[in-house]
Amino acid sequence: MAGFWGKRKREQEELTAQDADLARQAQNSLVAADERIRVTTDELVFAEAELGPNATKELREALDAVRTHLQEAFHLHQLNHDEIPDTPEELRTRNARIAQLCEWAEQLLDDRTTALAERIERARRAPEIIARVRADAARLRLRVPDARSTVERLGARYSSHALSQVVQNPAEAEQLLGFAEHSAGVAERRRDAGQREQANMALEAATESVRRAETLLDAVETFEVEALRAESTLAAIVEDSRDDLVVALREPQTPAVSKAIGELQAALAALPAAGVNTDPFEQLTRLREANSALDAAIATARERAARPLPPLEHVRHAIDDADRQLAVARDVIAGHRGWIGADARTRLAEAERVRADLDRYLGTSAAAVTTIDEDHREQAFAMARRSAFLASEGLQLAQRDIDAARPQPDQWGGPGYGQQAGWGGGRRGGGGDLMGGILGGLVIGSLLDGFMD
């Protein structure tokens, strides 16, 4: 008994220590959150001066929300120290709530100030950024004449369709550079006038315009390099394609292979003669697609040659067999509903699902289909056999359930009709078998008569 009270005392001491730690954490968190509000308020004033009120709207709303919830935290802390005595559970709940509110306030203010940090830093370095924008614009203007001459040189070699993605790049880059210089001047004037929000917007527009202009000028040089690489690759693919055609003519000539051969021959015949302005990217894409289609058709043809497809008659027989197996299983299970377990019902349901999937796979009723193309024949055959197997398995399980549910002779309290206990308790006589056959014949006959009626 002393051990029990000692354990209770230790648990109470541990709980008291935890409550004391939680109380200290709540007090420290409350002080830190209140100080964070003061610091963030000062940052908001500076951010509004640099970015304007619209850019700092989210931070201002976050501060209002934090102040509102911190009032609740201060109220809870006041309740902990008023003259009304509190239970340990009440103190524990209030301190946990205070810590939770302070943690939420810190996280919210961190998110909002982090989102503005980059923009504030950019606003502080606005004069430096304006100077860099002007220097970059002057540097890029020197590249515009070279870009124009490059486009003219490319126009003598490649088609207008191929050059459509870069032919306007020099002119567009020059316009963007002019806009960037103008926006930099606007940003400078607005900043001097104290209109910081408009100044920042103009500065962002100037920076983005310089970036886009440099991208357009780089694209001209990149196009020339990539076009030369495409021409080199195209020559190699043309040679490989001709070799592939020779090999393809020795492969099994299925309709898919013949079609792929024709498409590759057409792609090769569409190549322009030497000296004609071309689009190497389009030609390269067309030849690659034709080559890939031929490779896929040959691989399929080889696979079919190694594994012959089932004849259409076999597929139809498999579908008919599946339908018959399903019909028998449905009749048996429907006729003995109370005796059939979950396994047999599950097999039947799965067989019906596979059979329905077969109809959807063929796009029509499988029982009425007259032709099945080679691409779908093997899968249709497998699905039909799967459905038949599941239906047969369901029928076997149903028969097992029926046999298990039928009363056995010894369940009636003694030997069955026509049976007698002999030496060793073995079964003797055939009266029971004979009567079972007679009764079975009568039942089957009545069923057949009802069916014929």
Side-chain angles (χ1 to χ4, degrees):
M1 195 67 178
F4 171 76
W5 290 112
K7 180 179 179 183
R8 289 290 302 274
K9 183 178 180 181
R10 287 193 301 271
E11 291 177 351
Q12 186 64 35
E13 291 175 351
E14 292 176 359
L15 185 59
T16 302
Q18 293 175 2
D19 289 342
D21 292 339
L22 182 60
R24 284 192 297 270
Q25 179 186 355
Q27 293 178 7
N28 294 334
S29 299
L30 195 58
V31 173
D34 186 54
E35 187 62 25
R36 180 61 188 275
I37 290 177
R38 299 179 188 278
V39 173
T40 306
T41 302
D42 296 338
E43 292 179 354
L44 176 62
V45 174
F46 177 79
E48 286 183 346
E50 291 292 334
L51 304 176
N54 292 334
T56 58
K57 179 181 177 182
E58 292 185 356
L59 179 57
R60 186 166 54 255
E61 292 176 349
L63 267 175
D64 293 339
V66 167
R67 288 193 183 100
T68 301
H69 287 81
L70 258 292
Q71 290 177 1
E72 177 187 352
F74 280 116
H75 177 66
L76 293 175
H77 186 67
Q78 178 62 34
L79 292 177
N80 288 343
H81 296 83
D82 58 12
E83 68 280 2
I84 301 175
D86 301 306
T87 64
E89 289 77 11
E90 291 175 339
L91 292 172
R92 190 180 307 119
T93 302
R94 290 172 188 163
N95 288 327
R97 177 61 176 169
I98 292 172
Q100 180 187 21
L101 289 172
C102 294
E103 182 181 1
W104 168 81
E106 294 273 3
Q107 291 178 352
L108 181 61
L109 294 180
D110 283 342
D111 292 341
R112 297 298 184 267
T113 53
T114 302
L116 286 177
E118 183 179 354
R119 299 181 63 182
I120 293 174
E121 180 64 21
R122 188 165 58 248
R124 289 173 176 171
R125 298 187 301 107
E128 176 187 347
I129 295 175
I130 291 174
R132 189 172 69 245
V133 166
R134 287 172 172 162
D136 290 342
R139 174 179 57 83
L140 292 174
R141 279 191 182 278
L142 299 178
R143 294 178 53 187
V144 173
D146 292 338
R148 284 198 175 98
S149 62
T150 300
V151 169
E152 292 176 359
R153 184 173 64 254
L154 293 173
R157 186 178 182 88
Y158 303 110
S159 66
S160 57
H161 180 269
L163 289 174
S164 60
Q165 52 184 316
V166 296
V167 67
Q168 299 296 331
N169 283 19
E172 292 179 4
E174 192 170 21
Q175 292 177 356
L176 287 170
L177 292 175
F179 179 75
E181 291 172 339
H182 174 72
S183 298
V186 171
E188 195 171 38
R189 291 190 295 271
R190 291 290 188 272
R191 184 175 178 82
D192 293 339
Q195 300 174 350
R196 297 302 179 90
E197 186 172 0
Q198 297 179 6
N200 292 326
M201 292 176 60
L203 185 58
E204 290 178 1
T207 305
E208 179 63 19
S209 297
V210 169
R211 187 195 65 78
R212 289 180 56 195
E214 187 171 14
T215 301
L216 290 174
L217 295 176
D218 290 341
V220 175
E221 298 177 357
T222 302
F223 178 87
E224 185 175 21
V225 175
E226 293 299 328
L228 292 173
R229 185 179 301 170
E231 285 186 288
S232 176
T233 305
L234 181 62
I237 288 183
V238 167
E239 183 178 354
D240 291 342
S241 299
R242 289 171 179 158
D243 294 339
D244 291 343
L245 286 174
V246 174
V247 175
L249 293 174
R250 297 196 296 265
E251 297 292 337
Q253 296 301 302
T254 63
V257 171
S258 300
K259 180 182 178 182
I261 290 174
E263 291 178 353
L264 182 55
Q265 290 175 339
L268 290 172
L271 293 175
V276 179
N277 291 358
T278 62
D279 185 350
F281 301 104
E282 182 179 4
Q283 295 164 3
L284 186 60
T285 300
R286 185 178 179 185
L287 274 180
R288 279 176 172 167
E289 291 176 351
N291 265 289
S292 298
L294 180 59
D295 292 340
I298 290 176
T300 303
R302 288 174 178 173
E303 183 181 358
R304 289 181 178 174
R307 187 181 59 192
L309 293 175
L312 179 61
E313 294 77 10
H314 291 184
V315 179
R316 291 182 57 81
H317 291 332
I319 295 173
D320 293 341
D321 179 57
D323 291 340
R324 285 194 298 270
Q325 296 278 6
L326 279 169
V328 173
R330 286 194 199 101
D331 292 342
V332 171
I333 293 176
H336 302 80
R337 289 285 182 187
W339 294 0
I340 305 302
D343 292 342
R345 296 171 188 267
T346 301
R347 298 299 191 282
L348 177 60
E350 184 67 10
E352 290 176 336
R353 184 192 66 80
V354 175
R355 181 62 181 82
D357 290 344
L358 177 58
D359 288 343
R360 285 191 292 269
Y361 179 71
L362 297 177
T364 184
S365 174
V369 71
T370 57
T371 59
I372 302 176
D373 59 82
E374 294 181 353
D375 293 335
H376 297 81
R377 191 176 299 173
E378 185 175 5
Q379 181 65 18
F381 184 66
M383 295 175 73
R385 294 187 63 181
R386 176 65 176 167
S387 178
F389 171 77
L390 290 170
S392 175
E393 193 175 27
L395 182 61
Q396 294 176 6
L397 293 171
Q399 188 61 49
R400 182 197 65 184
D401 294 339
I402 293 170
D403 292 342
R406 281 176 176 160
Q408 299 299 320
D410 55 356
Q411 293 178 351
W412 298 103
Y417 182 83
Q419 296 181 356
Q420 59 182 0
W423 295 105
R427 181 176 176 180
R428 298 181 60 187
D433 294 338
L434 179 61
M435 182 57 68
I438 294 173
L439 292 175
L442 292 175
V443 172
I444 294 174
S446 64
L447 291 175
L448 293 176
D449 290 342
F451 176 77
M452 295 303 294
D453 292 341

